[in-house]
Amino acid sequence: MKQVLLLLTTLFLLACSKRSNSELDGGTIRMCLETEPITYLTYEVSDYYSATIFGQVMEGLVSIDPENLKIKAQLAASWTINDDGSEYTFNIREGVFFHPHEVFLSDNDRLLTPEDIVKTFELICSPSDQNAETAAYGHFLKDAIFGASNFYEKKSKSIEGIKTKDNTVTIKINQKDDNFLFKLAQVQLAVHAKEIIDAKFTIFIFNSLFE
């Protein structure tokens, strides 16, 4: 077995009442896998080994509780669904900071905002460097989010179905989908900082919530 070392740079939930206001340093996780992950880009994950790694260190809007397989809050503190099931409005957790990195010019730049979520979805819904669909777009978002295909085809400059207001993100989907939250819970839809995306880093800062 090959041993995979992951340096954790983490996303801290400083608003959590169970934690002090001081940041926590990362550490090292040593995991033995039968083979190496084939990618270190979350939105291109299509294999078990890459998903296993990212499942330890990345977070999305929601996640699946392993104890009961139900959806639970993650970077979204809560959410509402409109009457016809076509719009999901997520309230983004406050006081969440990305781990320090040279790309952030100030501590305020590290604060998780709705714009980070929008930028992540735009990254996923853009052609890859090989001018192909990303795994996350093809598997989960292409036919799901309103306006995603137009954005991918460069017919629009933004994804029409994703809007922000104050500290919320609203996602409009093409048709009612009882599995939509489970799609959002997949590691391929993990959230990245807009500054990291704009800097065109090919290896992203890992993030993880502490409760």
Side-chain angles (χ1 to χ4, degrees):
M1 294 185 180
K2 296 184 178 180
Q3 193 175 63
V4 179
L5 284 177
L6 287 183
L7 268 205
L8 296 182
T9 52
T10 55
L11 185 67
F12 297 104
L13 184 57
L14 300 183
C16 182
S17 60
K18 296 180 181 180
R19 293 282 178 180
S20 68
N21 288 329
S22 61
E23 293 182 3
L24 302 177
D25 289 333
T28 300
I29 289 180
R30 289 181 171 86
M31 298 179 64
C32 289
L33 300 176
E34 293 178 356
T35 188
E36 291 184 6
I38 65 173
T39 182
Y40 290 99
L41 298 174
T42 54
Y43 51 86
E44 292 291 10
V45 170
S46 60
D47 67 296
Y48 167 79
Y49 301 103
S50 299
T52 297
I53 295 298
F54 280 124
Q56 306 301 313
V57 294
M58 301 299 295
E59 305 288 353
L61 288 170
V62 295
S63 63
I64 299 174
D65 190 328
E67 294 186 359
N68 56 30
L69 301 183
K70 293 182 179 181
I71 294 296
K72 68 175 184 177
Q74 210 66 42
L75 294 183
S78 62
W79 60 88
T80 58
I81 306 172
N82 69 349
D83 291 339
D84 65 6
S86 65
E87 289 187 354
Y88 292 70
T89 298
F90 298 90
N91 297 302
I92 307 306
R93 287 185 186 270
E94 297 182 357
V96 179
F97 289 83
F98 287 95
H99 189 278
H101 187 276
E102 63 184 17
V103 75
F104 301 119
L105 300 181
S106 68
D107 285 344
N108 191 58
D109 288 342
R110 296 167 46 217
L111 183 66
L112 176 71
T113 68
E115 286 70 31
D116 294 310
I117 286 87
V118 172
K119 197 73 175 180
T120 296
F121 278 92
E122 289 179 347
L123 172 68
I124 292 170
C125 295
S126 298
S128 69
D129 291 340
Q130 289 73 41
N131 201 33
E133 295 179 357
T134 64
Y137 174 71
H139 292 160
F140 303 116
L141 303 184
K142 181 178 182 179
D143 298 318
I145 295 181
F146 182 71
S149 58
N150 280 344
F151 181 80
Y152 178 85
E153 296 169 6
K154 302 187 185 302
K155 295 179 180 178
S156 61
K157 294 183 179 180
S158 62
I159 301 174
E160 190 174 354
I162 301 180
K163 305 293 185 183
T164 64
K165 182 180 180 181
D166 300 327
N167 203 42
T168 67
V169 176
T170 297
I171 301 177
K172 180 178 180 180
I173 58 178
N174 289 318
Q175 59 186 6
K176 184 178 180 180
D177 182 357
D178 292 333
N179 291 318
F180 185 63
L181 287 175
F182 286 91
K183 293 177 180 178
L184 294 183
Q186 304 306 307
V187 71
Q188 291 90 338
L189 302 185
V191 173
H192 303 288
K194 60 183 180 296
E195 291 84 358
I196 294 294
I197 296 172
D198 288 339
K200 300 186 182 303
F201 276 74
T202 56
I203 300 296
F204 289 102
I205 293 179
F206 296 146
N207 65 61
S208 181
L209 281 178
F210 290 95
E211 298 181 355

